[in-house]
Amino acid sequence: MFRSLSACATLCLALPSAVDAQQRTGYGLGRAPTTQEINAWDIDVRPDGHGVRKGAGTVAQGQKIYDEQCASCHGTFGESTSYMAVAGGVRKTDLQSGRASALKDATAIRTLGTKLNYATTLWDYIYRAMPWTNPQSLTVDQTYAVTAYVLHLNEIVGADFELNEKTLLAVQMPNRNGLTTAHGLSRVDGRPDAQGTLCMKDCVRDVTIASALPEFARNQSGNLAEQRRPLGPMRGIDTAKYGSKGGPAVAKTQMSAPAGVHPTELLARYACTACHGLTNKIVGPGFSEIAGRYQGQPAALGYLSTKIRDGGQGVWGSVPMPAQAAVKEADVNAIAQWLVNGAR
Amino acid sequence: MNLQPKGRLLLAPENHLSAAHLAQGSRRSFLRGGVAAGASIASSAALAQASDVSSLIPPWTRSLGGPVVATGYGMPSKHEVNVQRRQSPGLTPQPQASVSFTPLQNLFGIITPSGVHFERHHSGMPEVDPQQHRLMIHGMVKRPLMLTMDDVMRFSSVSRIHFIECGANGGMEWANVAVPTVQYTHGMVACSEFTGVLLSTLLDEVGIDRTLAKFVLAEGSDGSALTRTIPMEFALNDVMVVYGQNGEMLRPENGYPLRLLVPGVQGVSSVKWLRRLEVGDKPWNTREEALHYIDLMPDGIHRQYSGVQEVKSVITMPSGGQKLVGQGYYEITGLAWSGRGKVRRVDVSVDGGRNWHTARLQEPVLTKALTRFRLDWNWNGAPALLQSRAIDDTGHVQPSIHQLRAVRGVRSIYHNNAVQTWSVQADGEVWNVQVA
């Protein structure tokens, strides 16, 4: 008692400000967001209709946008598995049961159609994050249209369907009953479903190897000798003897001074290489093919810059190249110059 | 197998000394040489010793070193160039929607250096300007807030050490062995000291009605504007809004300048480049919780909102892709963690799970943080199967791959916390295997 009193005698002069800070109702930091700010950022749409935006789009309108801006990655029929397969695997009976039966098969067909439970999630993601290289560029109506077309690719809605803020909430997805939260991993105090055993002695009689890395796969992650510090009680195994398959990408420049960005790094940064190989066609032509076609043409630099920026269709085939608004002007020019110089 | 250490049976390699140098360094061998070959040899050896003095002193001792501030923000030694984050070839078609793995086989202790913390981006890494960045907190709150980074960094703060583990860590190995090293089997986990504001502090500030407000939506400002629903019981428990990591600001690839941290929960919920928190009464069913990060069970049902990373451990040395330099003493060491709390115990087996030995835990043992364990081992050159098994303070015992598959099958992708086996061959090579 006396000790705390004497402590107060020396400290009480300093105390009031500290007490004030704790007793205040709040920190008083920041400001209220404006209505415009909330409208610009609060774009989420929930299955119960929270956040749904007024608008409409048809399957036919959606097909046009999809073919121009989505098919290059997801495939003309939504079949590409390189990225999210947006269609396939849905069976007629699934629409009744609300369970995608393909997921019970040993080779589960995992697509947007077989997995997704609510169409609002599809609308929400297209509006916030697609097209991948140009997110938040679609209008509300365009988003309804593309969503409608993807639903149609999965044979969930007919060819003449119009999706709007009301029909979006009424769409019955084929796997709407296929997700559960009845498990321990969703709660702070959830119970585990797979429990180990605490045996210490003679726990198993025979130990056999059920699975091992085949020899051909031992170098597929790169030479392991180069992935382990050459110091201490272990070395990385020199796996070059198992073959010369390419190893994983590593930023080799990390330990040296930063160098100027090579155009090929820009191609990777802007995901140009998703559709164009350096020499070969993937979706669009290879870069060396482009360089070859325009070699020596005086107007090539300006032409290629425009093509990169605005996209195009018909020069190399029917699959259109979307406009690349995300690529900085200086980088557009650097890539175009590199193409003119022979793409080397 | 004898697990008692017999002392260091193998000296560190002295590769920079020749056999002749080593012989000169020993009086007995010098005398033996003298006895065998006579006095003339002894005098020439003495001459050789004098002329070789300079070769015994390394050049960095005989020269002036570099100045301070040779690099304003330091880098590891150039000899550490092998220690890198790496992608797993063929796992993803594009590096902007991909993952890089932490090189666990090269790390000590429990803190992951920020530069090798694993990365997971969905639409690439944005370059966020901290002066323009804002955090909006709104929805079912009494006082919606728009905060600058200056504002966020003025709130009372906490620093805590926690792991972040991707829900798909180990996802390639549900059915069989697929990758060679611990970097690829377990490298989507890292542990850092994080500094920021408790989310409960911010929710107090905006004011919520606990009877209505059940969930918080977190949203990133990257191109995917990634969204995840955080249940309020997690949000008010220990979730942080983080700007500091290991004493510095977050690295760009890990969310600069602001991220969420949901301790113990799969990494996707720790939304990077955090720009918005919306309080609501229902979960959002976003793409990352309805199409991905859902666990496919044998009956074709997906488990949704499967957040918690359950008890897990792995031996990092010796581990797959490594070669032991010879027989004798080794320290078996690795990492254990649990999204439900602290690691209580780790057992290690060197015979494929037949017999187990309790490992030493390195202090500090922290909740929802990596914990380092160690066990002395004398390798006699015979093949061995190394395993570790962690138990957390809820009593949950890390399951074997068979115990896990019995419940979840092999198609789950996410939340593989099975016991890992490393096979030590007679030649000292260590390879990734699964035991029957």
Side-chain angles (χ1 to χ4, degrees), chain A residues 27 31 44 99 105 115 121 128 180 183 185 193 195 203 208 210 228-229 235 237 248 268-269, chain B residues 80 87 96 105 146 156 219 276 278 285 291 299 303-304 307 321 323 354 397 408 411 434 436:
Chain A
Y27 288 81
R31 60 170 173 82
D44 53 77
R99 287 281 309 276
D105 302 346
K115 288 170 84 177
T121 304
R128 74 173 53 246
T180 179
H183 56 81
L185 296 184
D193 60 352
Q195 181 73 271
C203 304
T208 53
R228 167 76 191 159
R229 170 187 300 113
R235 297 290 188 269
I237 299 171
R269 180 188 303 169
Chain B
E80 291 294 303
Q87 288 184 266
Q96 285 90 352
Q105 70 273 28
M146 191 69 141
S156 71
E219 181 180 79
R276 193 167 68 93
E278 180 178 349
N285 200 72
L291 265 181
D299 61 358
R303 286 181 174 175
Q304 193 178 20
K323 184 169 173 141
R354 190 175 291 132
V397 183
R408 303 189 195 166
R411 304 177 302 171
Q434 291 179 352

Side-chain angles (χ1 to χ4, degrees), chain B residues 108-110 331 333-336 343 346 359-366 369-375:
Chain B
F108 312 109
I110 61 170
E331 182 181 76
T333 181
L335 296 163
V343 171
V346 178
R360 301 189 300 276
L361 298 187
Q362 170 69 58
E363 295 289 338
V365 177
L366 302 168
L370 295 187
T371 298
R372 175 67 64 176
F373 64 85
R374 298 188 172 93
L375 185 78

Side-chain angles (χ1 to χ4, degrees), chain B residues 111 158-163 191-196 198 200 237-240 242 244 246 261 263 366-369:
Chain B
I111 297 294
V158 295
S159 292
R160 292 179 181 175
I161 295 173
H162 286 303
F163 73 81
C191 186
S192 308
E193 185 210 57
F194 291 103
T195 297
L198 283 172
S200 56
N237 191 13
D238 53 5
V239 174
M240 294 168 66
V242 163
N246 295 335
L261 176 71
L366 302 168
T367 187
K368 304 175 188 181

Side-chain angles (χ1 to χ4, degrees), chain A residues 66 75-78 86-88 148-157:
Chain A
Y66 180 93
T76 306
F77 304 102
V86 298
Y149 184 63
V150 173
L151 294 173
H152 176 65
L153 284 174
N154 284 286
E155 300 181 48
I156 298 165
V157 302

Side-chain angles (χ1 to χ4, degrees), chain B residues 8-233:
Chain B
R8 183 167 286 278
L9 301 183
L10 187 75
L11 291 171
E14 293 278 4
N15 298 335
H16 62 286
L17 293 183
S18 67
H21 275 134
L22 289 171
Q24 285 167 18
S26 157
R27 180 172 158 74
R28 271 187 301 172
S29 63
F30 176 80
L31 285 176
R32 274 204 301 276
V35 167
S40 64
I41 300 291
S43 61
S44 68
L47 275 172
Q49 199 168 18
S51 67
D52 274 357
V53 163
S54 63
S55 72
L56 290 175
I57 301 172
W60 53 85
T61 307
R62 290 183 283 113
S63 59
L64 178 62
V68 297
V69 207
T71 52
Y73 211 131
M75 299 289 284
S77 160
K78 64 183 178 185
H79 300 288
E80 291 294 303
V81 70
N82 286 3
V83 183
Q84 304 267 349
R85 288 187 285 229
R86 287 182 160 81
Q87 288 184 266
S88 186
L91 187 61
T92 55
Q94 283 301 311
Q96 285 90 352
S98 189
V99 61
S100 69
F101 295 79
T102 305
L104 296 176
Q105 70 273 28
N106 293 304
L107 302 184
F108 312 109
I110 61 170
I111 297 294
T112 309
S114 298
V116 290
H117 190 295
F118 78 96
E119 306 162 284
R120 172 76 172 105
H121 313 327
H122 292 76
S123 288
M125 177 183 74
E127 291 178 24
V128 179
D129 177 353
Q131 303 294 342
Q132 294 180 49
H133 189 70
R134 298 287 183 271
L135 174 65
M136 182 191 289
I137 312 174
H138 71 122
M140 297 175 72
V141 304
K142 295 189 181 76
R143 295 173 297 277
L145 266 187
M146 191 69 141
L147 300 171
T148 62
M149 283 304 299
D150 288 337
D151 295 329
V152 172
M153 294 168 82
R154 279 186 66 185
F155 280 91
S156 71
S157 60
V158 295
S159 292
R160 292 179 181 175
I161 295 173
H162 286 303
F163 73 81
I164 297 180
E165 182 183 21
C166 177
N169 202 19
M172 291 182 276
E173 303 243 317
W174 271 98
N176 50 262
V177 165
V179 285
T181 73
V182 70
Q183 180 160 16
Y184 306 109
T185 58
H186 290 76
M188 282 193 276
V189 69
C191 186
S192 308
E193 185 210 57
F194 291 103
T195 297
V197 187
L198 283 172
L199 180 54
S200 56
T201 301
L202 295 174
L203 292 178
D204 274 350
E205 187 73 2
V206 295
I208 58 167
D209 181 345
R210 280 300 314 274
T211 61
L212 299 172
K214 299 295 185 191
F215 299 94
V216 180
L217 181 77
E219 181 180 79
S221 65
D222 59 324
S224 72
L226 186 141
T227 41
R228 281 283 297 189
T229 303
I230 315 297
M232 197 58 82
E233 64 166 340

Side-chain angles (χ1 to χ4, degrees), chain B residues 281-297:
Chain B
D281 56 351
K282 292 191 176 68
W284 268 260
N285 200 72
T286 72
R287 180 216 196 220
E288 314 304 343
E289 50 203 27
L291 265 181
H292 300 294
Y293 303 95
I294 55 177
D295 312 23
L296 183 58
M297 294 294 108

